[in-house]
Amino acid sequence: MSGMHGTETTAGPIEGPVPPEATSATGEAGSNPQAMAAVVAAVEAALPPDAVVSDHIRLRTYECDGLAHYRVTPALVVLPETTEQLAAVVRACSDHGVPFVARGSGTGLSGGALPRADGVLVVTSRMRTIHEIRPEDQRAVVDPGVINLDVTHAAGPKGYYYAPDPSSQQICSIGGNLAENSGGAHCLKYGFTTNHVLGAEFVTPQGDVVQLGGMAPDSPGYDLLGAVVGSEGTLGIATRTIVKLTRLPQEVRTVLAGFASTDDAGAATSAIIGAGIVPAAIEMMDALAIEAAEAATHCDYPAGAGAVLVIELDGAAVEVEHEFAQVERICQEHHAFATRVATDPAERALIWKGRKSAFAAVGRISPDYIVQDGVIPRTALPGVLRSIAELSESSGVRVANVFHAGDGNLHPLVLFDDAVEGAAEAAEAVSGAILDLCISHGGSITGEHGVGIDKAAYMPKMFSDEDLDTMQLVRCAFDPDGVANPGKVFPTPRLCGEVPGKKKGAPHPLVAAGKATAF
């Protein structure tokens, strides 16, 4: 994952992690100049001049999301400020068969917002209005470009907050969170983005604006909103969104526990959940991740720990006190050699700073790294972590583990130096083997980062052909022309409008060329 796509003089794929011939995923620059010219004219008529970016140097600003190993220079970038402007852009793309990709803050880690060399990148970062904070209904109405943490800042004075908290919550946007169904440390107790989105104004791939869900807790009919959340921009673009607010807890208690090994920390995690306790969060970091966090933030985690758990309890004061006593006892029973309880907000923030900075902190101990995202059953943690350690030792590739232990959502960080020949390929092999481990233990290839372009090739390992065909039928129902973020999620693009199953007769030309799979 160390190559790049696009050069200073041309947009489009060049040698790198996505094969140059895989233009079905990245597009081919200049492949349909007449259609693109028509889209540019329509967009320039609908948007202010400063909201349309066509200069090549400025376009390169948007060539990747948080997964910088994949890079494609888009043909055009637009920055709408309203739903109407955004819909006009999408409508122009639909009318002329030009693909489009939505992008929020660009913090995604799966290449879901990787642009198309032959398409339009729709950036929602200027749509940042918080329209309503309604504590009486526990609702907020926000634009897609609103920063995650800003919702909590706006609701906090009224006694509420927005619960989903990705590590990038200071910069990631609500629209991106919705597209990826983002999680976070506190989703163990409070659920993922899908549990906190009640409604959304939605721009279809044809450019129509429809309302999905609403202020009420549940809407009749098919759960189209549920289909859209986590669809990674392949079904359309959500704009103005209704999110649920959560009441601030009476008490919060954060515990840091040090263990000699990840085995002990994993066993303690399972024991805590098994005791009927559902903490707001249980996070684990191993020795290598602790080393990186200490170098970056001086978080003062227990010296010599092979693993630490960050356990946060919240709720009514009497409940927190009771659960804390149980957690402390369980940690001691599983050989915790040090525990520390945050005594004030500053100490709590420092404990969390070490954990939430872990991804970036790894840059202190390695020039390059791959952030992985897989899920396993919680009880499989000790065994899978041992297997990851064995993979690391046998390959000579270092792996730092930092993850949401409470729900088994792993984030192994595979370290390498791209300046060393063959190091990137070795790291990619270990990264892929970790996903295979997750699947073999009944888990998933992603918990919250999405599939994007990065993991599309792994989908057939987890799903049957029939499963994938069914998913593609849903996609085609929303987007029969295949213009909404094509080339993502599924291993190969498929042609809509054909009957599923094996075909007879001559194959479609795109199928024959190896650029599509018909279903």
Side-chain angles (χ1 to χ4, degrees), residues 40 100 107 113 124 138 141 174-175 187 199 203 210 232 266 277 305 350 376 427 459 471:
V40 170
F100 65 89
T107 58
T124 61
Q138 293 184 251
V141 182
I174 294 297
C187 290
V203 178
V210 299
E232 303 190 31
I277 302 168
L350 183 61
I376 57 173
M459 290 287 277
M471 295 181 201

Side-chain angles (χ1 to χ4, degrees), residues 445-459:
I445 60 173
T446 180
E448 56 186 351
H449 293 174
V451 176
I453 198 170
D454 188 41
K455 297 183 181 179
Y458 287 88
M459 290 287 277

Side-chain angles (χ1 to χ4, degrees), residues 127-149:
M127 301 174 71
R128 285 199 174 186
T129 301
I130 297 178
H131 295 277
E132 293 183 79
I133 297 292
R134 299 173 58 168
E136 65 278 9
D137 292 322
Q138 293 184 251
R139 305 285 186 266
V141 182
V142 302
D143 275 348
V146 170
I147 300 304
N148 175 293
L149 194 57

Side-chain angles (χ1 to χ4, degrees), residues 265-343:
T269 299
S270 291
I272 289 169
I273 303 295
I277 302 168
V278 183
I282 307 181
E283 301 290 294
M284 188 191 298
M285 298 169 64
D286 70 4
L288 197 53
I290 295 167
E291 177 189 339
E294 286 290 350
T297 66
H298 309 290
C299 48
D300 195 27
Y301 285 177
V308 296
L309 290 179
V310 178
I311 306 164
E312 188 152 280
L313 305 167
D314 68 4
V318 64
E319 178 186 11
V320 170
E321 182 64 38
H322 176 67
E323 290 182 344
F324 170 70
Q326 291 180 281
V327 166
E328 192 173 41
R329 174 182 55 77
I330 291 170
C331 287
Q332 290 171 353
E333 289 174 353
H334 289 82
H335 317 299
F337 66 84
T339 57
R340 186 167 88 237
V341 182
T343 56

Side-chain angles (χ1 to χ4, degrees), residues 21-101:
E21 66 274 11
T23 53
S24 60
T26 60
E28 188 172 357
S31 59
N32 194 345
Q34 293 82 9
M36 182 54 68
V39 169
V40 170
V43 165
E44 288 180 340
L47 274 66
D50 67 345
V52 182
V53 179
S54 57
D55 174 72
H56 187 76
I57 299 301
R58 292 180 64 200
L59 288 173
R60 293 198 65 197
T61 304
Y62 301 94
E63 65 186 2
C64 68
D65 58 10
L67 185 65
H69 307 294
Y70 300 112
R71 298 176 186 268
V72 174
T73 305
L76 185 72
V77 171
V78 296
L79 297 98
E81 297 179 3
T82 67
T83 296
E84 291 71 27
Q85 290 179 358
L86 191 151
V89 172
V90 171
R91 196 175 305 118
C93 290
S94 175
D95 289 345
H96 300 284
V98 171
F100 65 89
V101 177

